[in-house]
């Protein structure tokens, strides 16, 4: 059984901070569960372009409001607490929080925590070594 609290993640190398968002990586590839879980806060008024070409991501909104745009179709969906969107087709997308939004994100394959978005908003596919952690 794995039990963790967000306070254990604060200000560690699993707590990634940018001008637009903050992501606390709670479960990572080294946990060997087949997925990773993050709490991500997106700041009000920011524009965030993402493209997970190597991952499927599910995003559940727990606080705040905003919108997500599918960059391929131009379709815009309103987001509020209780909304979920799933990027199941390597969807290029843009997230525009109207208020600060808190989300819970699940990635498959799991991220290691070392990924950074490239110029296209893509996380590289990094595979965790098979060495026990």
């Amino acid at each position: 059984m794995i039990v963790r609290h967000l306070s254990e993640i604060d200000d560690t190398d699993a707590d990634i901070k940018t001008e637009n968002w903050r992501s606390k990586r709670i479960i990572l590839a080294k946990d060997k569960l087949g997925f990773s879980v993050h709490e991500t806060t997106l700041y009000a008024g920011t524009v965030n372009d993402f493209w997970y070409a190597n991952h499927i991501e599910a995003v559940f909104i727990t606080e705040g409001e905003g919108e997500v745009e599918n960059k391929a179709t131009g379709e815009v969906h309103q987001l509020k607490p209780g909304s979920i969107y799933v990027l199941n087709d390597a969807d290029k997308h843009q997230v525009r929080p109207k208020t600060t939004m808190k989300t819970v994100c699940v990635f498959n394959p799991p991220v290691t925590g070392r990924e950074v978005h490239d110029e296209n908003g893509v996380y590289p596919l990094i595979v965790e070594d098979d060495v026990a952690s």
Side-chain angles (χ1 to χ4, degrees), residues 36-68:
S36 58
V37 178
H38 314 180
E39 180 200 60
T40 300
T41 302
L42 297 118
Y43 303 125
T46 60
V47 175
N48 303 276
D49 289 299
F50 301 115
W51 176 30
Y52 297 113
N54 301 307
H55 299 83
I56 294 173
E57 182 193 27
V59 180
F60 183 74
I61 290 74
T62 59
E63 293 179 27
E65 296 185 2
E67 56 190 22
V68 61

PDB file of all heavy atoms in Angstrom, residues 36-68:
ATOM      1  N   SER A  36       0.835   7.564 -13.556  1.00  0.00           N
ATOM      2  CA  SER A  36       1.293   8.555 -12.578  1.00  0.00           C
ATOM      3  C   SER A  36       0.143   9.489 -12.264  1.00  0.00           C
ATOM      4  O   SER A  36      -0.788   9.638 -13.065  1.00  0.00           O
ATOM      5  CB  SER A  36       2.522   9.319 -13.078  1.00  0.00           C
ATOM      6  OG  SER A  36       2.256   9.963 -14.302  1.00  0.00           O
ATOM      7  N   VAL A  37       0.203  10.099 -11.085  1.00  0.00           N
ATOM      8  CA  VAL A  37      -0.858  11.004 -10.613  1.00  0.00           C
ATOM      9  C   VAL A  37      -0.207  12.295 -10.145  1.00  0.00           C
ATOM     10  O   VAL A  37       0.777  12.264  -9.412  1.00  0.00           O
ATOM     11  CB  VAL A  37      -1.667  10.383  -9.447  1.00  0.00           C
ATOM     12  CG1 VAL A  37      -2.734  11.359  -8.951  1.00  0.00           C
ATOM     13  CG2 VAL A  37      -2.288   9.059  -9.865  1.00  0.00           C
ATOM     14  N   HIS A  38      -0.782  13.410 -10.578  1.00  0.00           N
ATOM     15  CA  HIS A  38      -0.268  14.731 -10.221  1.00  0.00           C
ATOM     16  C   HIS A  38      -1.420  15.603  -9.763  1.00  0.00           C
ATOM     17  O   HIS A  38      -2.531  15.489 -10.284  1.00  0.00           O
ATOM     18  CB  HIS A  38       0.351  15.439 -11.434  1.00  0.00           C
ATOM     19  CG  HIS A  38       1.266  14.593 -12.244  1.00  0.00           C
ATOM     20  ND1 HIS A  38       1.900  15.088 -13.350  1.00  0.00           N
ATOM     21  CD2 HIS A  38       1.673  13.306 -12.132  1.00  0.00           C
ATOM     22  CE1 HIS A  38       2.649  14.152 -13.889  1.00  0.00           C
ATOM     23  NE2 HIS A  38       2.529  13.060 -13.167  1.00  0.00           N
ATOM     24  N   GLU A  39      -1.154  16.505  -8.844  1.00  0.00           N
ATOM     25  CA  GLU A  39      -2.070  17.617  -8.590  1.00  0.00           C
ATOM     26  C   GLU A  39      -1.444  18.818  -9.293  1.00  0.00           C
ATOM     27  O   GLU A  39      -0.326  19.209  -8.988  1.00  0.00           O
ATOM     28  CB  GLU A  39      -2.231  17.940  -7.114  1.00  0.00           C
ATOM     29  CG  GLU A  39      -3.205  19.106  -6.938  1.00  0.00           C
ATOM     30  CD  GLU A  39      -3.089  19.806  -5.604  1.00  0.00           C
ATOM     31  OE1 GLU A  39      -1.992  20.330  -5.307  1.00  0.00           O
ATOM     32  OE2 GLU A  39      -4.087  19.832  -4.880  1.00  0.00           O
ATOM     33  N   THR A  40      -2.179  19.376 -10.255  1.00  0.00           N
ATOM     34  CA  THR A  40      -1.664  20.516 -11.004  1.00  0.00           C
ATOM     35  C   THR A  40      -2.564  21.716 -10.781  1.00  0.00           C
ATOM     36  O   THR A  40      -3.784  21.610 -10.887  1.00  0.00           O
ATOM     37  CB  THR A  40      -1.563  20.200 -12.513  1.00  0.00           C
ATOM     38  OG1 THR A  40      -0.679  19.082 -12.671  1.00  0.00           O
ATOM     39  CG2 THR A  40      -1.030  21.380 -13.295  1.00  0.00           C
ATOM     40  N   THR A  41      -1.942  22.852 -10.461  1.00  0.00           N
ATOM     41  CA  THR A  41      -2.641  24.118 -10.318  1.00  0.00           C
ATOM     42  C   THR A  41      -2.264  24.981 -11.505  1.00  0.00           C
ATOM     43  O   THR A  41      -1.078  25.191 -11.774  1.00  0.00           O
ATOM     44  CB  THR A  41      -2.221  24.823  -9.007  1.00  0.00           C
ATOM     45  OG1 THR A  41      -2.498  23.945  -7.906  1.00  0.00           O
ATOM     46  CG2 THR A  41      -2.962  26.136  -8.821  1.00  0.00           C
ATOM     47  N   LEU A  42      -3.270  25.441 -12.246  1.00  0.00           N
ATOM     48  CA  LEU A  42      -3.060  26.338 -13.391  1.00  0.00           C
ATOM     49  C   LEU A  42      -3.536  27.722 -12.969  1.00  0.00           C
ATOM     50  O   LEU A  42      -4.646  27.875 -12.443  1.00  0.00           O
ATOM     51  CB  LEU A  42      -3.844  25.843 -14.598  1.00  0.00           C
ATOM     52  CG  LEU A  42      -3.402  24.475 -15.102  1.00  0.00           C
ATOM     53  CD1 LEU A  42      -4.540  23.480 -15.006  1.00  0.00           C
ATOM     54  CD2 LEU A  42      -2.886  24.571 -16.513  1.00  0.00           C
ATOM     55  N   TYR A  43      -2.698  28.727 -13.204  1.00  0.00           N
ATOM     56  CA  TYR A  43      -2.974  30.069 -12.696  1.00  0.00           C
ATOM     57  C   TYR A  43      -3.913  30.850 -13.605  1.00  0.00           C
ATOM     58  O   TYR A  43      -3.826  30.762 -14.843  1.00  0.00           O
ATOM     59  CB  TYR A  43      -1.663  30.816 -12.475  1.00  0.00           C
ATOM     60  CG  TYR A  43      -0.738  30.079 -11.535  1.00  0.00           C
ATOM     61  CD1 TYR A  43       0.554  29.758 -11.897  1.00  0.00           C
ATOM     62  CD2 TYR A  43      -1.178  29.671 -10.264  1.00  0.00           C
ATOM     63  CE1 TYR A  43       1.402  29.070 -11.036  1.00  0.00           C
ATOM     64  CE2 TYR A  43      -0.351  28.978  -9.403  1.00  0.00           C
ATOM     65  CZ  TYR A  43       0.930  28.678  -9.783  1.00  0.00           C
ATOM     66  OH  TYR A  43       1.753  27.986  -8.924  1.00  0.00           O
ATOM     67  N   ALA A  44      -4.804  31.617 -12.984  1.00  0.00           N
ATOM     68  CA  ALA A  44      -5.823  32.401 -13.689  1.00  0.00           C
ATOM     69  C   ALA A  44      -5.195  33.305 -14.740  1.00  0.00           C
ATOM     70  O   ALA A  44      -4.147  33.912 -14.514  1.00  0.00           O
ATOM     71  CB  ALA A  44      -6.618  33.249 -12.693  1.00  0.00           C
ATOM     72  N   GLY A  45      -5.844  33.357 -15.911  1.00  0.00           N
ATOM     73  CA  GLY A  45      -5.426  34.266 -16.966  1.00  0.00           C
ATOM     74  C   GLY A  45      -4.262  33.783 -17.813  1.00  0.00           C
ATOM     75  O   GLY A  45      -3.839  34.486 -18.732  1.00  0.00           O
ATOM     76  N   THR A  46      -3.749  32.592 -17.549  1.00  0.00           N
ATOM     77  CA  THR A  46      -2.633  32.083 -18.348  1.00  0.00           C
ATOM     78  C   THR A  46      -3.158  31.338 -19.570  1.00  0.00           C
ATOM     79  O   THR A  46      -4.314  30.919 -19.615  1.00  0.00           O
ATOM     80  CB  THR A  46      -1.722  31.147 -17.525  1.00  0.00           C
ATOM     81  OG1 THR A  46      -2.488  30.031 -17.060  1.00  0.00           O
ATOM     82  CG2 THR A  46      -1.097  31.883 -16.357  1.00  0.00           C
ATOM     83  N   VAL A  47      -2.297  31.191 -20.559  1.00  0.00           N
ATOM     84  CA  VAL A  47      -2.593  30.401 -21.754  1.00  0.00           C
ATOM     85  C   VAL A  47      -1.544  29.299 -21.809  1.00  0.00           C
ATOM     86  O   VAL A  47      -0.346  29.577 -21.791  1.00  0.00           O
ATOM     87  CB  VAL A  47      -2.558  31.276 -23.021  1.00  0.00           C
ATOM     88  CG1 VAL A  47      -2.756  30.430 -24.264  1.00  0.00           C
ATOM     89  CG2 VAL A  47      -3.606  32.384 -22.937  1.00  0.00           C
ATOM     90  N   ASN A  48      -2.004  28.056 -21.858  1.00  0.00           N
ATOM     91  CA  ASN A  48      -1.113  26.903 -21.726  1.00  0.00           C
ATOM     92  C   ASN A  48      -1.298  25.959 -22.905  1.00  0.00           C
ATOM     93  O   ASN A  48      -2.360  25.354 -23.063  1.00  0.00           O
ATOM     94  CB  ASN A  48      -1.436  26.155 -20.425  1.00  0.00           C
ATOM     95  CG  ASN A  48      -1.332  27.068 -19.227  1.00  0.00           C
ATOM     96  OD1 ASN A  48      -0.254  27.266 -18.695  1.00  0.00           O
ATOM     97  ND2 ASN A  48      -2.448  27.650 -18.791  1.00  0.00           N
ATOM     98  N   ASP A  49      -0.273  25.843 -23.743  1.00  0.00           N
ATOM     99  CA  ASP A  49      -0.302  24.939 -24.885  1.00  0.00           C
ATOM    100  C   ASP A  49       0.412  23.649 -24.526  1.00  0.00           C
ATOM    101  O   ASP A  49       1.580  23.667 -24.118  1.00  0.00           O
ATOM    102  CB  ASP A  49       0.376  25.590 -26.099  1.00  0.00           C
ATOM    103  CG  ASP A  49      -0.455  26.719 -26.665  1.00  0.00           C
ATOM    104  OD1 ASP A  49      -1.598  26.452 -27.091  1.00  0.00           O
ATOM    105  OD2 ASP A  49       0.028  27.868 -26.674  1.00  0.00           O
ATOM    106  N   PHE A  50      -0.305  22.535 -24.677  1.00  0.00           N
ATOM    107  CA  PHE A  50       0.239  21.229 -24.351  1.00  0.00           C
ATOM    108  C   PHE A  50      -0.027  20.254 -25.497  1.00  0.00           C
ATOM    109  O   PHE A  50      -1.006  20.384 -26.225  1.00  0.00           O
ATOM    110  CB  PHE A  50      -0.407  20.653 -23.081  1.00  0.00           C
ATOM    111  CG  PHE A  50      -0.236  21.491 -21.854  1.00  0.00           C
ATOM    112  CD1 PHE A  50      -1.334  22.062 -21.233  1.00  0.00           C
ATOM    113  CD2 PHE A  50       1.014  21.690 -21.287  1.00  0.00           C
ATOM    114  CE1 PHE A  50      -1.202  22.820 -20.082  1.00  0.00           C
ATOM    115  CE2 PHE A  50       1.161  22.450 -20.133  1.00  0.00           C
ATOM    116  CZ  PHE A  50       0.054  23.019 -19.532  1.00  0.00           C
ATOM    117  N   TRP A  51       0.849  19.261 -25.597  1.00  0.00           N
ATOM    118  CA  TRP A  51       0.663  18.186 -26.571  1.00  0.00           C
ATOM    119  C   TRP A  51       1.376  16.967 -26.020  1.00  0.00           C
ATOM    120  O   TRP A  51       2.599  16.889 -26.049  1.00  0.00           O
ATOM    121  CB  TRP A  51       1.239  18.585 -27.923  1.00  0.00           C
ATOM    122  CG  TRP A  51       1.186  17.514 -28.970  1.00  0.00           C
ATOM    123  CD1 TRP A  51       0.248  16.520 -29.091  1.00  0.00           C
ATOM    124  CD2 TRP A  51       2.115  17.323 -30.031  1.00  0.00           C
ATOM    125  NE1 TRP A  51       0.535  15.733 -30.170  1.00  0.00           N
ATOM    126  CE2 TRP A  51       1.684  16.203 -30.777  1.00  0.00           C
ATOM    127  CE3 TRP A  51       3.265  17.991 -30.438  1.00  0.00           C
ATOM    128  CZ2 TRP A  51       2.348  15.746 -31.885  1.00  0.00           C
ATOM    129  CZ3 TRP A  51       3.936  17.527 -31.550  1.00  0.00           C
ATOM    130  CH2 TRP A  51       3.474  16.422 -32.260  1.00  0.00           C
ATOM    131  N   TYR A  52       0.614  16.032 -25.493  1.00  0.00           N
ATOM    132  CA  TYR A  52       1.208  14.815 -24.948  1.00  0.00           C
ATOM    133  C   TYR A  52       1.237  13.746 -26.037  1.00  0.00           C
ATOM    134  O   TYR A  52       0.374  12.883 -26.105  1.00  0.00           O
ATOM    135  CB  TYR A  52       0.467  14.369 -23.682  1.00  0.00           C
ATOM    136  CG  TYR A  52       0.600  15.409 -22.601  1.00  0.00           C
ATOM    137  CD1 TYR A  52      -0.490  16.129 -22.154  1.00  0.00           C
ATOM    138  CD2 TYR A  52       1.848  15.710 -22.080  1.00  0.00           C
ATOM    139  CE1 TYR A  52      -0.343  17.111 -21.184  1.00  0.00           C
ATOM    140  CE2 TYR A  52       2.007  16.692 -21.110  1.00  0.00           C
ATOM    141  CZ  TYR A  52       0.903  17.378 -20.678  1.00  0.00           C
ATOM    142  OH  TYR A  52       1.055  18.355 -19.729  1.00  0.00           O
ATOM    143  N   ALA A  53       2.230  13.853 -26.904  1.00  0.00           N
ATOM    144  CA  ALA A  53       2.378  12.952 -28.041  1.00  0.00           C
ATOM    145  C   ALA A  53       2.719  11.531 -27.600  1.00  0.00           C
ATOM    146  O   ALA A  53       2.483  10.584 -28.342  1.00  0.00           O
ATOM    147  CB  ALA A  53       3.452  13.480 -28.985  1.00  0.00           C
ATOM    148  N   ASN A  54       3.264  11.380 -26.394  1.00  0.00           N
ATOM    149  CA  ASN A  54       3.720  10.074 -25.910  1.00  0.00           C
ATOM    150  C   ASN A  54       2.920   9.536 -24.739  1.00  0.00           C
ATOM    151  O   ASN A  54       3.268   8.496 -24.192  1.00  0.00           O
ATOM    152  CB  ASN A  54       5.196  10.186 -25.496  1.00  0.00           C
ATOM    153  CG  ASN A  54       6.059  10.624 -26.643  1.00  0.00           C
ATOM    154  OD1 ASN A  54       6.035  10.029 -27.708  1.00  0.00           O
ATOM    155  ND2 ASN A  54       6.813  11.697 -26.442  1.00  0.00           N
ATOM    156  N   HIS A  55       1.888  10.254 -24.319  1.00  0.00           N
ATOM    157  CA  HIS A  55       1.129   9.868 -23.134  1.00  0.00           C
ATOM    158  C   HIS A  55      -0.365  10.085 -23.365  1.00  0.00           C
ATOM    159  O   HIS A  55      -0.757  10.943 -24.137  1.00  0.00           O
ATOM    160  CB  HIS A  55       1.537  10.723 -21.921  1.00  0.00           C
ATOM    161  CG  HIS A  55       2.965  10.584 -21.548  1.00  0.00           C
ATOM    162  ND1 HIS A  55       3.978  11.287 -22.165  1.00  0.00           N
ATOM    163  CD2 HIS A  55       3.563   9.816 -20.606  1.00  0.00           C
ATOM    164  CE1 HIS A  55       5.136  10.969 -21.622  1.00  0.00           C
ATOM    165  NE2 HIS A  55       4.917  10.075 -20.677  1.00  0.00           N
ATOM    166  N   ILE A  56      -1.162   9.332 -22.643  1.00  0.00           N
ATOM    167  CA  ILE A  56      -2.580   9.625 -22.489  1.00  0.00           C
ATOM    168  C   ILE A  56      -2.708  10.321 -21.145  1.00  0.00           C
ATOM    169  O   ILE A  56      -2.093   9.896 -20.154  1.00  0.00           O
ATOM    170  CB  ILE A  56      -3.434   8.341 -22.518  1.00  0.00           C
ATOM    171  CG1 ILE A  56      -3.354   7.709 -23.909  1.00  0.00           C
ATOM    172  CG2 ILE A  56      -4.871   8.632 -22.115  1.00  0.00           C
ATOM    173  CD1 ILE A  56      -4.006   6.355 -24.006  1.00  0.00           C
ATOM    174  N   GLU A  57      -3.478  11.403 -21.120  1.00  0.00           N
ATOM    175  CA  GLU A  57      -3.672  12.134 -19.865  1.00  0.00           C
ATOM    176  C   GLU A  57      -5.156  12.327 -19.623  1.00  0.00           C
ATOM    177  O   GLU A  57      -5.895  12.708 -20.532  1.00  0.00           O
ATOM    178  CB  GLU A  57      -2.982  13.498 -19.902  1.00  0.00           C
ATOM    179  CG  GLU A  57      -3.142  14.244 -18.583  1.00  0.00           C
ATOM    180  CD  GLU A  57      -2.752  15.711 -18.661  1.00  0.00           C
ATOM    181  OE1 GLU A  57      -2.830  16.314 -19.738  1.00  0.00           O
ATOM    182  OE2 GLU A  57      -2.399  16.265 -17.596  1.00  0.00           O
ATOM    183  N   ALA A  58      -5.582  12.067 -18.395  1.00  0.00           N
ATOM    184  CA  ALA A  58      -6.929  12.393 -17.934  1.00  0.00           C
ATOM    185  C   ALA A  58      -6.791  13.513 -16.913  1.00  0.00           C
ATOM    186  O   ALA A  58      -5.925  13.452 -16.039  1.00  0.00           O
ATOM    187  CB  ALA A  58      -7.602  11.184 -17.301  1.00  0.00           C
ATOM    188  N   VAL A  59      -7.629  14.551 -17.050  1.00  0.00           N
ATOM    189  CA  VAL A  59      -7.560  15.725 -16.176  1.00  0.00           C
ATOM    190  C   VAL A  59      -8.935  15.942 -15.545  1.00  0.00           C
ATOM    191  O   VAL A  59      -9.913  16.183 -16.252  1.00  0.00           O
ATOM    192  CB  VAL A  59      -7.130  16.984 -16.967  1.00  0.00           C
ATOM    193  CG1 VAL A  59      -7.064  18.187 -16.044  1.00  0.00           C
ATOM    194  CG2 VAL A  59      -5.795  16.753 -17.671  1.00  0.00           C
ATOM    195  N   PHE A  60      -8.978  15.865 -14.226  1.00  0.00           N
ATOM    196  CA  PHE A  60     -10.220  16.071 -13.465  1.00  0.00           C
ATOM    197  C   PHE A  60     -10.102  17.392 -12.721  1.00  0.00           C
ATOM    198  O   PHE A  60      -9.146  17.604 -11.977  1.00  0.00           O
ATOM    199  CB  PHE A  60     -10.428  14.913 -12.485  1.00  0.00           C
ATOM    200  CG  PHE A  60     -11.701  15.005 -11.714  1.00  0.00           C
ATOM    201  CD1 PHE A  60     -12.919  14.725 -12.317  1.00  0.00           C
ATOM    202  CD2 PHE A  60     -11.692  15.376 -10.379  1.00  0.00           C
ATOM    203  CE1 PHE A  60     -14.106  14.814 -11.606  1.00  0.00           C
ATOM    204  CE2 PHE A  60     -12.867  15.460  -9.654  1.00  0.00           C
ATOM    205  CZ  PHE A  60     -14.087  15.185 -10.269  1.00  0.00           C
ATOM    206  N   ILE A  61     -11.067  18.282 -12.939  1.00  0.00           N
ATOM    207  CA  ILE A  61     -11.030  19.613 -12.325  1.00  0.00           C
ATOM    208  C   ILE A  61     -11.699  19.540 -10.954  1.00  0.00           C
ATOM    209  O   ILE A  61     -12.838  19.098 -10.827  1.00  0.00           O
ATOM    210  CB  ILE A  61     -11.715  20.670 -13.222  1.00  0.00           C
ATOM    211  CG1 ILE A  61     -10.881  20.960 -14.485  1.00  0.00           C
ATOM    212  CG2 ILE A  61     -11.880  21.987 -12.481  1.00  0.00           C
ATOM    213  CD1 ILE A  61     -10.879  19.940 -15.524  1.00  0.00           C
ATOM    214  N   THR A  62     -10.967  19.971  -9.907  1.00  0.00           N
ATOM    215  CA  THR A  62     -11.514  19.968  -8.550  1.00  0.00           C
ATOM    216  C   THR A  62     -11.870  21.368  -8.062  1.00  0.00           C
ATOM    217  O   THR A  62     -12.725  21.505  -7.183  1.00  0.00           O
ATOM    218  CB  THR A  62     -10.530  19.322  -7.557  1.00  0.00           C
ATOM    219  OG1 THR A  62      -9.300  20.051  -7.563  1.00  0.00           O
ATOM    220  CG2 THR A  62     -10.264  17.862  -7.925  1.00  0.00           C
ATOM    221  N   GLU A  63     -11.198  22.395  -8.610  1.00  0.00           N
ATOM    222  CA  GLU A  63     -11.482  23.788  -8.222  1.00  0.00           C
ATOM    223  C   GLU A  63     -11.256  24.689  -9.425  1.00  0.00           C
ATOM    224  O   GLU A  63     -10.391  24.436 -10.253  1.00  0.00           O
ATOM    225  CB  GLU A  63     -10.532  24.266  -7.115  1.00  0.00           C
ATOM    226  CG  GLU A  63     -10.691  23.592  -5.782  1.00  0.00           C
ATOM    227  CD  GLU A  63      -9.693  24.124  -4.753  1.00  0.00           C
ATOM    228  OE1 GLU A  63      -9.243  25.278  -4.865  1.00  0.00           O
ATOM    229  OE2 GLU A  63      -9.357  23.352  -3.844  1.00  0.00           O
ATOM    230  N   GLY A  64     -12.030  25.786  -9.491  1.00  0.00           N
ATOM    231  CA  GLY A  64     -11.816  26.813 -10.502  1.00  0.00           C
ATOM    232  C   GLY A  64     -12.542  26.528 -11.807  1.00  0.00           C
ATOM    233  O   GLY A  64     -13.190  25.499 -11.977  1.00  0.00           O
ATOM    234  N   GLU A  65     -12.420  27.509 -12.721  1.00  0.00           N
ATOM    235  CA  GLU A  65     -13.094  27.410 -14.007  1.00  0.00           C
ATOM    236  C   GLU A  65     -12.176  27.862 -15.125  1.00  0.00           C
ATOM    237  O   GLU A  65     -11.275  28.681 -14.916  1.00  0.00           O
ATOM    238  CB  GLU A  65     -14.363  28.259 -14.009  1.00  0.00           C
ATOM    239  CG  GLU A  65     -15.394  27.774 -13.018  1.00  0.00           C
ATOM    240  CD  GLU A  65     -16.703  28.540 -13.093  1.00  0.00           C
ATOM    241  OE1 GLU A  65     -16.843  29.431 -13.948  1.00  0.00           O
ATOM    242  OE2 GLU A  65     -17.591  28.226 -12.286  1.00  0.00           O
ATOM    243  N   GLY A  66     -12.412  27.327 -16.298  1.00  0.00           N
ATOM    244  CA  GLY A  66     -11.636  27.695 -17.471  1.00  0.00           C
ATOM    245  C   GLY A  66     -12.169  26.983 -18.684  1.00  0.00           C
ATOM    246  O   GLY A  66     -13.321  26.553 -18.716  1.00  0.00           O
ATOM    247  N   GLU A  67     -11.304  26.839 -19.683  1.00  0.00           N
ATOM    248  CA  GLU A  67     -11.711  26.141 -20.896  1.00  0.00           C
ATOM    249  C   GLU A  67     -10.518  25.424 -21.500  1.00  0.00           C
ATOM    250  O   GLU A  67      -9.368  25.795 -21.259  1.00  0.00           O
ATOM    251  CB  GLU A  67     -12.344  27.100 -21.912  1.00  0.00           C
ATOM    252  CG  GLU A  67     -11.481  28.267 -22.314  1.00  0.00           C
ATOM    253  CD  GLU A  67     -12.233  29.315 -23.134  1.00  0.00           C
ATOM    254  OE1 GLU A  67     -13.468  29.385 -23.061  1.00  0.00           O
ATOM    255  OE2 GLU A  67     -11.556  30.060 -23.857  1.00  0.00           O
ATOM    256  N   VAL A  68     -10.828  24.383 -22.274  1.00  0.00           N
ATOM    257  CA  VAL A  68      -9.817  23.647 -23.010  1.00  0.00           C
ATOM    258  C   VAL A  68     -10.237  23.655 -24.477  1.00  0.00           C
ATOM    259  O   VAL A  68     -11.404  23.460 -24.795  1.00  0.00           O
ATOM    260  CB  VAL A  68      -9.630  22.207 -22.480  1.00  0.00           C
ATOM    261  CG1 VAL A  68     -10.892  21.365 -22.599  1.00  0.00           C
ATOM    262  CG2 VAL A  68      -8.453  21.518 -23.165  1.00  0.00           C
TER     263      VAL A  68
END
